[in-house]
């Protein structure tokens, strides 16, 4: 008789803005456990939660009173092989009740904390015993590609302390929520239930009302359901339905019809250019899905004969002289070794592949700080489709098996001199870039990747034009010697090799840590719908993926090679301390203590500030309201901050600069006042720092050299934020359209005050306060005028309904609502996984929400102030070529003294780097934490 049903909703589908409340409510609605997906970006390419988040939600859910009891935190540890044991104690302290690690990562370091290192290794049995010794339940999970019989050794252990309390069978590839259910994995559940009738068997992935009967028939009793529960109109009803399905089968287990209705019927073709939401909504990784009902027989890959494999490629490709030509070309290529093979595949076969994809494959739009694309699921999952389903994709399967055949792997290995490649680990997906899509600079180094490739499936009858964008672009790397004499490899900000897409073209290169930096140029919007139609929609379709080092049982496999490769790549990326060569470098200026202790404004101080700041923001009433708001919310947006006359000077300067054509190269640009930020895998933009003596006088230089570093402005800022400033670091930035961005970076250390003054004169950035015509208005200098100012919604937003920051602006004129422009350029703060110091009053928040974001679109004459805590991530989204101009701003960070006051009764200390808006404000839907899509 199978154990009773346990329903464990996955919090990956919860509302992150109200995570604690959502978890508490779900338990009250009938859930037994909460399934907490822990991902590190290594074992799976996504990143989710850390111990601090578990600590926070634990405070909202009662601790279970008995093993497997209500409120159990089922922590699914999708973390790399070197980590599982190191995190056991950390998650125990955080509130984890069941620690479920992956069998595939169980060859773990014996170190017992994240800080320790150890050359000793552990095993699944030892890890289970260690988990039990730390008074937690132990679970062991297997991925779809892992056979169930690998678990028998631990399940049959004579030592009860080395046997798991639960087995998790993944019914999707681990790493993302929202995937489609893989019924092909249910025979594993059936086999486990036959052998171990009393075992808790969990299934995770694609579970809901439509698939629960199959899982329950197979013998699963622990059901993980994410969006099916959290996205339901009545979660309690769904939980009850899931429980009933399992309990009805308890005690009368029978072989099921696993495969009924497990694939989608007809999927929308991608030939139609669908508009991608400006803010990422979907986070799930799509599966390749077509109709099908027949039982699935798992297929073996890559057993093609040499003749069968060669028949899938163009005639003559494998001729010795052709291979020699590509090998020599690869060896002499720059800026790093790469190759381009045109007309790779038999043309008729590839045309069939493209047609099958258009008719039968679905795509998920994905967007993060580094990319914006549409992506299919992993094509390794083709082996899980039944015969009728696979009959719709025969050419796609033929292509995949040809690419990973021994014959073609040897061909690639010969050209790249990279050694043997795996045929078992197929790692490829279909990526579609429509206008506005892109991928920013990265080096492709993750795990066991050895060769990166792109095979283009653009329209064969409408040749791709270089001016449409979408090119693969390679960055040069230079060796720079540091002050310590060590040499670091640093990528330069400009690409030097541009490879436009072309039908049936393969581009590939061996992945080289710290060297193989590349990006994918934005696919540019057509000037008109008619032109877009004429261009076939400008759909840049490609199959992208990697060849990996040999896996266990394959020729060329070396025990520990993958671990050593990861270790070596990490060392190569850090060699020579490349961070010391980042530009711009932080340049904090310490405040004179005697000056900082002075209080109040004298008449001369006010006269100085009146030259630069709007008079409204110098009145006592306004300053008091600003300070009260910031003290409560820890962020604020101030519209029309600059004096109209000074703002007009800045506008004139910016518009004149935009009217001038910029040089093409960074070297030419840096002959002038502005410099180019680097390295490009962290960010790229133009910048101007204070004190650049050769820089010509300009109102922006006056802003960063005179106003912001001044004693008077510092006094104003201290009054506005009720903080004591210890240092300042100021920079002016220009983000060029079609070029510039910053990628997400964290802040470590004490909280700091961050300022941004938007100086972008063009509109269309999605800012709610786009009013460009206020500069010539009268000065609002009286108290009455000040009282007429109202708190209104700023442009701050949050992911998935997370809280946002308020703004103090002029009472707005009624305007028609219109969709935000999709041009990027917005600055985003996202909470990371750092620990928080709940003793400091400065951390308090006026709401119960954790992981709060702050969002500000590019804007004109608007100041934002944010108190940024340790661990908070920040980035500026890539500015699309379709923007009406560049994004201009001045950014400053101010080190402040930590305050000793206790938290108020209304707020609790927390890690949020931004405050909370009222419910009337528009919500920022955020970007996907999905990071698997760094393929091209």
């Amino acid at each position: 008789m199978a154990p009773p049903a346990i329903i464990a909703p996955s919090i990956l589908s919860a509302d992150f803005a109200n995570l604690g409340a959502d978890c508490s409510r779900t338990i009250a609605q009938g859930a037994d456990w909460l399934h907490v997906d822990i991902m590190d970006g290594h074992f799976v390419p996504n990143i989710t939660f850390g111990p601090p988040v578990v600590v926070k939600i634990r405070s909202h859910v009662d601790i279970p009173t008995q093993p497997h009891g209500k409120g159990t935190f089922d922590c699914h540890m999708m973390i790399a092989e070197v980590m599982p044991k190191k995190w056991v104690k950390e998650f125990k302290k955080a509130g984890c009740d069941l620690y479920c690690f992956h069998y595939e990562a169980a060859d773990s370091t014996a170190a017992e904390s994240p800080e320790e290192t150890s050359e000793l290794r552990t095993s699944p049995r030892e890890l289970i015993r260690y988990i039990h010794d730390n008074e937690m339940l132990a679970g062991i999970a297997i991925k779809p590609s892992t056979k169930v019989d690998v678990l028998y050794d631990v399940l049959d252990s004579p030592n009860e302390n080395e046997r798991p309390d639960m087995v998790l069978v993944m019914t999707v590839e681990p790493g993302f929520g929202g995937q489609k259910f893989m019924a092909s994995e249910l025979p594993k559940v059936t086999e486990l239930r036959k052998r171990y009738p009393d075992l808790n068997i969990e299934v995770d992935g694609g579970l809901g009302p439509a698939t629960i009967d199959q899982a329950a028939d197979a013998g699963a009793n622990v059901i993980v359901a994410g969006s099916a529960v959290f996205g339901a109109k009545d979660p309690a009803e769904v939980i009850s339905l899931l429980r009933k399905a399992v309990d009805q089968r308890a005690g009368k287990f029978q072989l099921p019809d696993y495969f009924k209705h497990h694939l989608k019927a007809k999927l929308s073709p991608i030939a139609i250019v669908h508009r991608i939401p400006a803010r990422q909504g979907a986070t799930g990784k799509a599966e390749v899905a077509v109709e099908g009902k027949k039982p699935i027989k798992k297929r073996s890959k890559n057993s093609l004969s040499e003749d069968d494999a060669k028949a899938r490629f163009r005639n003559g490709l494998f001729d010795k002289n052709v291979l020699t030509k590509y090998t020599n070309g690869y060896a002499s290529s720059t800026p790093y070794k790469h190759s381009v093979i045109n007309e790779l595949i038999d043309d008729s076969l590839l045309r069939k592949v493209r047609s099958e994809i258009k008719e039968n494959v679905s795509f998920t739009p994905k967007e993060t700080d580094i990319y914006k694309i549409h992506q299919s699921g992993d094509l390794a999952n083709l082996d899980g489709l039944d015969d009728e389903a696979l009959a719709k994709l025969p050419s796609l399967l033929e292509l995949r098996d040809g690419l990973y055949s021994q014959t073609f792997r040897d061909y690639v290995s010969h050209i790249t001199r990279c050694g043997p490649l795996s045929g078992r680990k197929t790692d490829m997906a279909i990526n579609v870039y429509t206008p506005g899509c892109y991928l920013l600079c990265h080096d492709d180094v993750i795990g066991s990747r050895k060769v990166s490739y792109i095979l283009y499936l653009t329209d064969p009858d409408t040749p791709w034009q270089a001016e449409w964008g979408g090119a693969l672009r390679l960055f040069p790397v230079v060796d720079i010697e540091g002050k310590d004499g060590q040499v670091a490899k640093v990528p330069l900000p400009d690409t030097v090799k541009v490879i436009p897409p072309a039908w049936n073209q393969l581009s590939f290169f061996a992945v080289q840590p710290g060297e193989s930096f590349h990006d994918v140029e934005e696919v540019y919007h057509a000037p008109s719908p008619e032109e877009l139609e004429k261009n076939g929609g400008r759909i840049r379709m490609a199959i992208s993926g990697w060849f990996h080092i040999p896996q266990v049982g394959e020729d060329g496999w070396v025990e520990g090679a993958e671990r050593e490769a990861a270790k070596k790549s990490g060392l190569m990326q850090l060699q020579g301390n490349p961070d010391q060569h980042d530009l711009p470098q932080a340049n904090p200026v310490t405040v004179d203590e005697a000056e900082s202790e002075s209080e109040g404004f004298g008449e001369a101080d006010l006269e100085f500030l009146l030259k630069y700041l709007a008079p409204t923001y110098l009145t006592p009433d306004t300053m008091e309201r600003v300070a009260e708001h910031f003290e409560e919310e820890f962020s604020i947006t101030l519209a029309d901050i600059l004096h109209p006359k000074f703002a007009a000077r800045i506008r004139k300067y910016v518009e004149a600069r935009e009217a001038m054509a910029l040089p093409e190269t960074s070297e030419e640009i840096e002959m002038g006042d502005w410099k180019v930020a680097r390295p490009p895998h962290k960010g790229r933009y133009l910048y101007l720092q204070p004190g650049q003596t050769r820089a010509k006088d300009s109102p922006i230089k006056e802003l960063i050299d005179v106003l912001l570093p001044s004693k008077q402005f510092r006094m104003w800022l201290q009054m506005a934020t009720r903080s004591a400033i210890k240092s300042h670091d100021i920079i002016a930035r220009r983000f060029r359209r079609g070029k510039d961005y910053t990628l997400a970076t964290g802040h470590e250390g004490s909280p700091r005050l961050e300022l941004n003054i938007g100086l972008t004169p063009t509109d269309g950035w999605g800012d709610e306060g786009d009013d460009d015509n206020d500069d010539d208005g009268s000065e609002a200098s009286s108290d009455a005028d000040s009282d007429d100012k109202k708190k209104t919604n700023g442009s701050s937003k949050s992911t998935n309904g997370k809280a946002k920051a308020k703004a103090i602006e002029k009472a707005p004129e009624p305007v028609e609502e219109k969709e935000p422009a999709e041009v990027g350029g917005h600055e985003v703060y996202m909470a990371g996984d750092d620990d928080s110091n709940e003793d400091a009053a400065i951390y308090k928040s006026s709401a119960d929400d954790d992981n709060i974001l702050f969002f500000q679109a590019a804007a004109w004459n608007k100041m934002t102030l944010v108190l940024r805590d340790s661990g908070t991530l920040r980035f500026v989204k890539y500015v699309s070529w379709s923007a009406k101009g560049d994004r201009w701003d001045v950014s400053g960070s101010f080190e402040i003294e930590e305050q000793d006051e206790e938290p108020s009764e209304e707020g609790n200390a927390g890690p949020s780097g931004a405050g909370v808006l009222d419910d009337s404000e528009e919500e920022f839907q955020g970007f996907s934490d999905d990071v698997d899509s760094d393929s091209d």
Side-chain angles (χ1 to χ4, degrees):
M1 180 173 180
I6 295 173
I7 309 303
S10 170
I11 68 170
L12 199 61
S13 296
D15 179 358
F16 287 4
N18 301 284
L19 196 52
D22 242 17
C23 292
S24 176
R25 180 168 52 250
T26 303
I27 292 292
Q29 289 167 335
D32 302 293
W33 297 358
L34 290 175
H35 187 81
V36 185
D37 288 306
I38 309 297
M39 309 180 196
D40 66 350
H42 296 285
F43 181 73
V44 293
N46 204 356
I47 299 175
T48 56
F49 317 110
V53 174
V54 178
V55 170
K56 291 292 183 182
I57 59 175
R58 179 81 275 178
S59 66
H60 291 266
V61 178
D62 291 339
I63 296 173
T65 57
Q66 58 185 3
H68 305 96
K70 196 173 185 68
T72 290
F73 276 18
D74 167 22
C75 292
H76 179 193
M77 310 301 295
M78 287 170 276
I79 59 179
E81 62 175 356
V82 297
M83 297 306 291
K85 186 174 181 180
K86 298 179 79 169
W87 287 104
V88 170
K89 289 183 178 178
E90 292 295 315
F91 278 90
K92 167 64 177 176
K93 287 190 294 184
C96 170
D97 303 295
L98 190 156
Y99 189 100
C100 182
F101 64 92
H102 265 266
Y103 171 85
E104 298 85 0
D107 179 22
S108 171
T109 175
E112 297 183 4
S113 74
E115 296 82 14
E116 293 181 16
T117 58
S118 174
E119 294 299 320
L120 300 176
R121 313 298 294 176
T122 187
S123 67
R125 284 192 186 187
E126 292 169 335
L127 188 49
I128 291 168
R129 184 172 66 245
Y130 184 73
I131 295 167
H132 285 152
D133 290 346
N134 279 274
E135 300 181 340
M136 285 187 290
L137 299 171
I140 187 167
I142 55 173
K143 298 163 67 173
S145 58
T146 302
K147 295 181 178 180
V148 71
D149 56 11
V150 300
L151 299 178
Y152 297 159
D153 177 64
V154 292
L155 288 166
D156 295 335
S157 172
N159 185 342
E160 183 178 0
N161 206 35
E162 294 180 349
R163 294 199 295 267
D165 304 285
M166 184 190 76
V167 167
L168 165 56
V169 175
M170 294 298 299
T171 48
V172 295
E173 290 294 334
F176 300 92
Q179 296 184 63
K180 295 176 180 63
F181 180 68
M182 294 172 64
S184 58
E185 301 310 302
L186 293 179
K188 298 177 183 178
V189 177
T190 303
E191 185 61 30
L192 286 169
R193 181 58 68 209
K194 284 180 180 179
R195 294 176 64 111
Y196 310 101
D198 300 323
L199 177 67
N200 277 318
I201 303 174
E202 184 175 55
V203 284
D204 177 9
L207 273 299
T211 53
I212 184 58
D213 287 342
Q214 299 171 69
D217 280 339
N221 72 298
V222 183
I223 308 299
V224 177
S227 55
V229 171
F230 285 104
K233 291 183 179 179
D234 187 350
E237 181 180 354
V238 173
I239 291 170
S240 176
L241 185 153
L242 298 176
R243 188 184 310 282
K244 183 178 179 181
V246 175
D247 286 340
Q248 281 180 342
R249 290 158 175 82
K252 51 180 182 180
F253 172 67
Q254 56 185 352
L255 290 175
D257 175 12
Y258 305 118
F259 313 109
K260 192 183 301 179
H261 309 305
H262 70 285
L263 292 174
K264 288 177 69 173
K266 173 78 173 176
L267 301 170
S268 59
I270 62 158
I272 300 172
V273 180
H274 296 288
R275 182 176 176 277
I276 310 174
R279 305 178 191 94
Q280 180 62 24
T283 58
K285 183 176 181 180
E287 295 294 330
V288 177
V290 293
E291 287 186 27
K293 299 180 181 179
K294 293 185 179 179
I296 296 169
K297 181 179 180 181
K298 205 77 170 177
R299 294 167 179 81
S300 61
K301 304 188 189 84
N302 312 314
S303 56
L304 296 177
S305 69
E306 183 176 348
D307 288 342
D308 285 342
K310 289 182 177 180
R312 304 181 186 193
F313 296 86
R314 79 159 193 255
N315 288 333
L317 178 70
F318 294 91
D319 291 351
K320 186 175 181 180
N321 64 319
V322 174
L323 176 58
T324 300
K325 181 187 74 170
Y326 288 131
T327 304
N328 293 339
Y330 183 89
S332 61
S333 58
T334 59
Y336 51 83
K337 293 180 174 60
H338 66 278
S339 185
V340 178
I341 301 178
N342 290 300
E343 299 179 10
L344 176 79
I345 304 296
D346 175 78
D347 190 76
S348 62
L349 171 61
L350 202 61
R351 284 176 179 267
K352 292 175 184 176
V353 170
R354 192 172 191 275
S355 296
E356 290 172 5
I357 292 171
K358 288 173 61 178
E359 292 297 321
N360 300 303
V361 178
S362 62
F363 291 82
T364 301
K366 298 181 179 181
E367 185 171 355
T368 69
D369 60 326
I370 194 171
Y371 59 75
K372 181 178 181 180
I373 63 172
H374 305 260
Q375 190 179 57
S376 75
D378 188 344
L379 298 186
N381 295 330
L382 288 171
D383 298 298
L385 301 181
D386 65 24
D387 292 336
E388 185 176 349
L390 201 55
K392 295 181 178 293
L393 301 169
S395 302
L396 182 58
L397 180 64
E398 193 175 340
L399 172 65
R400 189 205 65 182
D401 288 350
L403 289 173
Y404 283 89
S405 65
Q406 184 69 55
T407 303
F408 189 65
R409 293 189 339 260
D410 289 346
Y411 194 86
V412 172
S413 179
H414 186 280
I415 292 172
T416 60
R417 304 296 189 193
C418 66
L421 300 171
S422 175
R424 181 181 302 165
K425 190 165 186 176
T426 55
D427 185 0
M428 58 194 298
I430 307 161
N431 291 329
V432 173
Y433 289 67
T434 53
C437 291
Y438 56 86
L439 171 62
L440 303 180
C441 181
H442 63 294
D443 68 359
D444 255 1
V445 177
I446 296 179
S448 60
R449 294 175 179 176
K450 208 163 186 182
V451 174
S452 178
Y453 67 84
I454 316 166
L455 174 61
Y456 291 106
L457 287 83
T458 53
D459 190 339
D461 301 317
T462 305
W464 190 271
Q465 302 301 307
E467 59 266 27
W468 299 351
L472 173 68
R473 303 185 297 190
L474 312 184
F475 289 81
V477 174
V478 295
D479 292 338
I480 302 180
E481 183 175 337
K483 295 177 181 179
D484 55 3
Q486 295 190 53
V487 176
K489 292 185 178 297
V490 179
L492 296 179
D494 300 330
T495 58
V496 294
K497 180 70 175 181
V498 178
I499 307 171
W503 165 253
N504 200 0
Q505 172 187 286
L506 181 78
S507 298
F508 63 98
F509 53 84
V511 174
Q512 303 169 62
E515 282 197 59
S516 54
F517 289 101
H518 60 285
D519 71 6
V520 173
E521 180 185 19
E522 178 185 3
V523 174
Y524 302 123
H525 288 272
S528 67
E530 294 76 20
E531 182 70 16
L532 183 66
E533 180 69 22
K534 181 181 177 181
N535 300 157
R538 296 190 177 183
I539 299 173
R540 179 195 183 273
M541 184 195 298
I543 292 178
S544 305
W546 299 271
F547 292 103
H548 289 254
I549 64 175
Q551 305 296 294
V552 178
E554 291 187 298
D555 290 341
W557 177 76
V558 177
E559 185 175 2
E562 186 168 340
R563 184 167 60 250
E564 286 302 312
K567 181 179 178 181
K568 182 179 178 182
S569 67
L571 290 172
M572 290 178 68
Q573 288 171 315
L574 297 174
Q575 184 176 351
N577 183 23
D579 291 352
Q580 67 180 305
H581 306 296
D582 291 359
L583 293 175
Q585 287 282 316
N587 186 30
V589 177
T590 303
V591 170
D592 183 273
E593 291 187 12
E595 284 188 359
S596 65
E597 291 176 359
S598 61
E599 295 183 1
F601 290 113
E603 185 175 344
D605 297 324
L606 287 173
E607 288 181 0
F608 173 82
L609 290 175
L610 276 169
K611 291 170 55 181
Y612 299 105
L613 300 184
T616 300
Y617 291 109
L618 298 176
T619 63
D621 286 349
T622 300
M623 290 301 296
E624 181 67 20
R625 289 167 49 221
V626 169
E628 288 177 354
H629 180 91
F630 186 84
E631 189 173 48
E632 179 184 0
E633 306 291 354
F634 301 115
S635 62
I636 195 166
T637 302
L638 306 174
D640 301 323
I641 183 66
L642 298 177
H643 190 286
K645 292 181 180 178
F646 185 59
R649 289 176 55 206
I650 293 179
R651 179 186 286 272
K652 183 178 180 181
Y653 169 81
V654 170
E655 290 178 341
R657 296 287 296 207
E658 289 216 7
M660 299 168 56
L662 275 169
E664 284 297 316
T665 69
S666 295
E667 186 177 2
E668 292 174 301
I669 288 172
E670 292 188 337
M671 291 178 181
D673 299 346
W674 294 72
K675 307 305 176 187
V676 182
R678 63 196 68 185
H681 62 285
K682 295 182 182 179
R684 182 176 59 201
Y685 53 90
L686 307 188
Y687 69 91
L688 184 68
Q689 288 181 297
Q692 290 183 205
T693 55
R694 291 191 302 167
K696 297 178 182 177
D697 289 340
S698 70
I700 287 186
K701 189 173 187 298
E702 189 174 352
L703 190 61
I704 65 174
D705 274 344
V706 180
L707 173 63
L708 298 182
S710 69
K711 177 190 72 173
Q712 292 87 349
F713 180 76
R714 185 169 65 254
M715 292 165 59
W716 179 89
L717 192 58
Q718 289 183 154
M719 292 176 63
T721 60
R722 293 177 180 169
S723 58
I725 293 172
K726 298 165 63 178
S727 71
H728 58 77
D729 190 1
I730 300 160
I731 189 170
R733 304 184 298 182
R734 178 182 180 180
F735 292 83
R736 299 162 293 175
R737 63 193 187 111
K739 286 183 178 290
D740 293 338
Y741 54 88
T742 65
L743 298 185
T745 55
H747 158 60
E748 296 181 4
S750 300
R752 73 183 184 195
L753 182 64
E754 295 192 344
L755 166 150
N756 188 279
I757 302 177
L759 301 175
T760 305
T762 50
D763 58 14
W765 297 89
D767 183 56
E768 297 170 0
D770 272 341
D771 61 19
D772 300 330
N773 303 313
D774 295 334
D775 295 337
D776 299 325
S778 61
E779 298 177 5
S781 58
S782 70
D783 288 346
D785 289 335
S786 176
D787 291 339
D788 286 340
K789 296 281 183 181
K790 297 180 181 179
K791 290 183 181 179
T792 62
N793 298 344
S795 300
S796 51
K797 310 192 178 187
S798 71
T799 297
N800 298 330
K802 291 185 176 65
K804 305 150 287 188
K806 291 183 181 177
I808 294 182
E809 304 186 10
K810 294 180 179 178
E813 296 295 325
V815 294
E816 286 187 22
E817 290 187 2
K818 57 182 180 181
E819 292 187 35
E822 299 175 5
V823 297
H826 39 270
E827 186 160 54
V828 182
Y829 286 82
M830 301 182 72
D833 279 346
D834 73 304
D835 206 353
S836 61
N837 178 359
E838 297 196 346
D839 293 329
I842 206 74
Y843 285 87
K844 73 181 183 214
S845 171
S846 64
D848 294 328
D849 301 300
D850 294 327
N851 293 342
I852 299 171
L853 289 166
F854 182 89
F855 173 97
Q856 176 60 54
W860 168 252
N861 195 5
K862 182 174 287 188
M863 177 189 286
T864 60
L865 296 171
V866 175
L867 185 68
R868 186 180 183 190
D869 286 349
S870 181
T872 303
L873 301 176
R874 173 190 177 194
F875 61 90
V876 173
K877 200 76 169 71
Y878 166 80
V879 178
S880 170
W881 178 254
S882 60
K884 295 181 180 179
D886 296 347
R887 180 195 198 275
W888 297 72
D889 69 18
V890 167
S891 179
S893 62
F894 298 81
E895 185 184 2
I896 59 175
E897 293 180 2
E898 292 196 57
Q899 304 191 15
D900 298 326
E901 59 186 298
E902 294 296 319
S904 67
E905 293 181 1
E906 291 81 6
N908 298 313
S912 58
V916 179
L917 278 179
D918 58 35
D919 293 334
S920 66
E921 295 175 310
E922 179 187 354
E923 294 179 354
F924 169 48
Q925 298 303 315
F927 300 103
S928 170
D929 50 4
D930 186 20
V931 298
D932 74 316
S933 306
D934 59 349
S935 58
D936 309 314

